[in-house]
């Protein structure tokens, strides 16, 4: 019989990514059946209760250590493992001394200097830290999501007035000064500058350019809402000015999930007066997909368009039928792109990020017909790591949709990069194989990455293909292939 140990550590803090690793390290300790170390956010408390732990009253400033042990004798070693893993997360470098981290962004800038602050805190706290950085006279990249739109507007207006740039909120990818930030892919230097109101959209363009042998000078993320009517493209204009002034940039491409039409038109007019040519890759109904726009950019550069890589045996339609396309995405823009392509062929797509309000899913994320889910949406990441880091929710859903006899095809993305899971195929490939062992449903995957990403693009794609998936570098190509399979067409 297992025993349960729950303790509350008031005032202790570590971010969700660090605590995910701490939980994994502790769970590997002999005698530990389950371990969860997390901040006591509302969602995390629900998760812990769902795991069967009984919790005392907590606040969001508390850290919860919840352990399920084989017997009482394992407790001391388990708590020692918790403390060791937390200490390792606080170290400045491997083998270094444990140092007290700065308590504010301003104090961090005083200690280390620099001209860019990266803010990665719970969304409710991001405004204070970002304003602290702007007051110190530096640009800000806000990795945090769940930041209210009115706070985003206030930050971006202040930055504009001070000649500074706010990248984000929910800015997952950037390349600044040759350094990749967030989930950025490994790229070679080149003459292309990217302004991205889309993290995974930016990564798709980076991956395709890399496959074509084209390098990148900079990629400035501006947050997925920047081209909305509420924000009006404030950071996009600043980013365009920065790239236009950069002598290493010869061509610019602006990437965005579906923007507000009036904002897109105003920004395009603004870009027309710049000295550097600007191509717009803005998703929307009837608009070219990101692969098509990247191919057009290659034409602007005088570079031949390569044959985009495909791995694995061509998928075959499910032998027992099914009529529904089910998309399970970690990238919101990749999900948007897939929905736009599929809706034009198959009709309405239900989603938690729907193309129109009447197609919205409820909290169950289950519906009849065609469904595509963005597991990286703010509503699914409160209090938990992004699915590019922690794939648990998506893997659970994969098993469910694969077993559903209405599912004709499963469409997925895998996004590589420095901040992403070290080896996503290590968990996803067995899950795909297990799902297909129950029911031979075709699985089509867009594997977005560059040739020198730390996870290894070819290694990841080949592992997924060995599990039975058909794998594409291009998300648009993967989506079209999935549509063809739904329609019963073989390659």
């Amino acid at each position: 019989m297992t025993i349960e140990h729950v303790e509350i550590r008031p005032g202790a803090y570590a971010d969700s990514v660090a605590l995910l690793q701490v939980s994994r390290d502790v769970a590997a300790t002999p005698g530990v059946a389950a371990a969860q170390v997390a901040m006591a956010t509302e969602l995390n408390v629900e998760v812990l209760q769902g795991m069967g732990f009984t919790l005392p009253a907590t606040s969001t400033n508390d850290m919860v250590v919840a352990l399920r042990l084989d017997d009482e004798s394992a407790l001391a070693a388990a708590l020692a493992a918790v403390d060791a893993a937390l200490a390792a997360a606080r170290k400045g470098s491997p083998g270094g001394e444990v140092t007290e981290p700065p308590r504010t962004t301003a104090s961090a800038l005083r200690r280390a200097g620099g001209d860019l602050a990266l803010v990665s805190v719970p969304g409710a706290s991001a405004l204070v830290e970002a304003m602290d950085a702007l007051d110190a006279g530096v640009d800000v990249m806000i990795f945090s999501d769940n930041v209210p739109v009115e706070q985003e507007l206030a930050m971006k207006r202040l930055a504009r007035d001070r000649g500074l740039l706010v990248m984000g909120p929910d800015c997952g990818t950037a390349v600044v000064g040759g350094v990749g930030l967030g989930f950025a892919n490994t790229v070679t230097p080149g003459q292309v500058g990217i302004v991205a109101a889309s993290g995974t959209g930016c990564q798709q363009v980076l991956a395709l350019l890399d496959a074509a042998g084209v390098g990148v000078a900079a990629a400035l993320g501006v947050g997925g809402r920047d081209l909305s009517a509420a924000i009006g493209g404030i950071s996009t204009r600043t980013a365009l000015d920065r790239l236009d002034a950069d002598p290493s940039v010869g061509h610019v491409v602006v990437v965005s999930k579906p923007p507000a039409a009036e904002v897109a038109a105003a920004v395009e007019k603004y870009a027309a007066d710049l000295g550097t040519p600007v191509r717009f890759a803005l998703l929307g109904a009837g608009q070219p997909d990101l692969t098509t726009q990247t191919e057009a950019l290659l034409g602007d550069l005088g570079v031949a368009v390569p044959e985009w890589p495909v791995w694995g045996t061509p998928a075959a339609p499910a032998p027992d039928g099914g009529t529904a396309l089910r998309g399970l995405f970690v990238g919101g823009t990749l999900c948007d792109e897939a929905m736009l392509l599929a809706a034009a062929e198959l009709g309405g797509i239900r989603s938690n990020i729907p193309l129109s309000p009447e197609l919205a899913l409820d909290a169950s994320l289950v519906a009849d017909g065609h469904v595509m889910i963005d597991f990286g949406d703010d509503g699914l990441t409160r209090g938990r790591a992004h699915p590019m880091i922690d794939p648990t929710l998506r893997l659970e859903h994969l098993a469910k949709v694969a077993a559903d006899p209405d599912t004709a095809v499963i469409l997925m993305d895998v996004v590589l990069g420095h901040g992403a899971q070290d080896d996503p195929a290590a968990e996803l490939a067995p899950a795909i194989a297990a799902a297909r062992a129950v029911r031979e449903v075709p699985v089509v995957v867009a594997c977005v990455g560059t040739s020198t990403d730390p996870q290894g693009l070819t290694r990841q794609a080949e592992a997924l293909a060995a599990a039975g998936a058909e794998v594409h570098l291009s998300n648009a190509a993967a989506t079209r292939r999935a549509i063809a399979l739904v329609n019963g067409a073989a390659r």
Side-chain angles (χ1 to χ4, degrees), residues 78-456:
L79 290 176
V82 172
D83 293 337
L86 288 171
R90 292 195 298 268
K91 283 186 179 180
S93 60
E97 296 296 320
V98 175
T99 58
E100 182 67 23
R103 306 298 289 182
T104 68
T105 300
S107 65
L109 290 167
R110 285 194 297 270
R111 178 184 296 185
D115 53 12
L116 173 66
L118 194 158
V119 175
S120 180
V121 298
S125 304
L127 175 68
V128 173
E129 301 304 332
M131 286 297 199
D132 208 12
L134 293 173
D135 284 342
V138 303
D139 296 332
V140 185
M141 174 178 170
I142 305 173
F143 188 81
S144 310
D145 57 8
N146 287 293
V147 176
V149 68
E150 61 271 13
Q151 294 183 5
E152 177 178 350
L153 181 61
M155 289 186 283
K156 289 184 171 180
R157 283 176 170 170
L158 178 66
R160 176 191 60 195
D161 295 344
R162 296 183 179 183
L164 298 171
L165 174 64
V166 170
M167 296 189 287
D170 203 8
C171 178
T173 300
V175 179
V176 181
V179 177
L181 302 172
F183 293 125
N185 305 93
T186 303
V187 294
T188 57
Q191 63 168 313
V192 175
I194 301 174
V195 178
S198 155
T200 54
C202 177
Q203 290 185 265
Q204 174 73 100
V205 174
L206 290 173
L208 295 171
L209 289 176
D210 179 77
V214 174
V216 173
L220 303 180
V222 294
R225 295 184 302 211
D226 196 69
L227 291 177
S228 69
I231 305 300
I234 294 173
S235 287
T236 298
R237 288 178 172 84
T238 302
L240 283 169
D241 289 340
R242 295 281 183 92
L243 295 179
D244 188 46
D246 185 343
S248 69
V249 176
H251 288 75
V252 174
V253 59
V254 179
V255 181
S256 177
K257 56 187 64 180
E262 68 277 11
V263 177
V267 172
E268 290 185 28
K269 182 178 180 181
Y270 183 85
D273 292 331
L274 300 176
T276 307
V278 179
R279 174 170 289 279
F280 283 82
L282 310 179
L283 291 178
Q287 297 300 311
D289 59 71
L290 296 180
T291 299
T292 300
Q293 287 286 20
T294 303
E295 291 171 349
L297 175 62
L298 292 175
D300 297 341
L301 297 168
V303 175
V305 175
E307 183 175 344
W308 304 120
V310 181
W311 295 266
T313 303
D320 58 351
T323 59
L325 173 59
R326 303 286 164 77
L328 309 177
F329 288 85
V330 299
T333 301
L334 301 180
C335 186
D336 276 332
E337 180 180 53
M339 287 193 293
L340 287 162
L341 291 170
E345 295 284 336
L346 304 176
I349 311 291
R350 301 291 299 277
S351 179
N352 61 327
I353 57 165
L355 297 177
S356 56
E358 71 275 7
L359 295 172
L361 289 171
D362 62 26
S364 71
L365 302 180
V366 175
D368 294 334
H370 308 301
V371 175
M372 294 194 188
I373 302 169
D374 171 22
F375 287 92
D377 180 61
D378 284 6
L380 297 179
T381 58
R382 288 191 184 93
R384 71 170 72 245
H386 192 279
M388 286 168 62
I389 301 168
D390 179 6
T392 304
L393 286 179
R394 185 166 76 153
L395 292 179
E396 292 173 354
H397 215 78
L398 170 61
K400 294 177 183 176
V401 299
D404 183 350
D406 288 337
T407 300
V409 183
I410 298 173
L411 175 63
M412 307 183 75
D413 61 345
V414 172
V415 186
L416 310 181
H418 283 283
Q421 209 179 351
D422 290 341
D423 187 3
E427 293 187 71
L428 182 56
I432 290 173
R436 285 177 49 77
V438 174
R439 180 170 172 266
E440 291 184 40
V441 61
V443 178
V444 182
V445 177
C447 189
V448 176
T450 65
S451 57
T452 50
D453 275 336
Q455 297 90 348

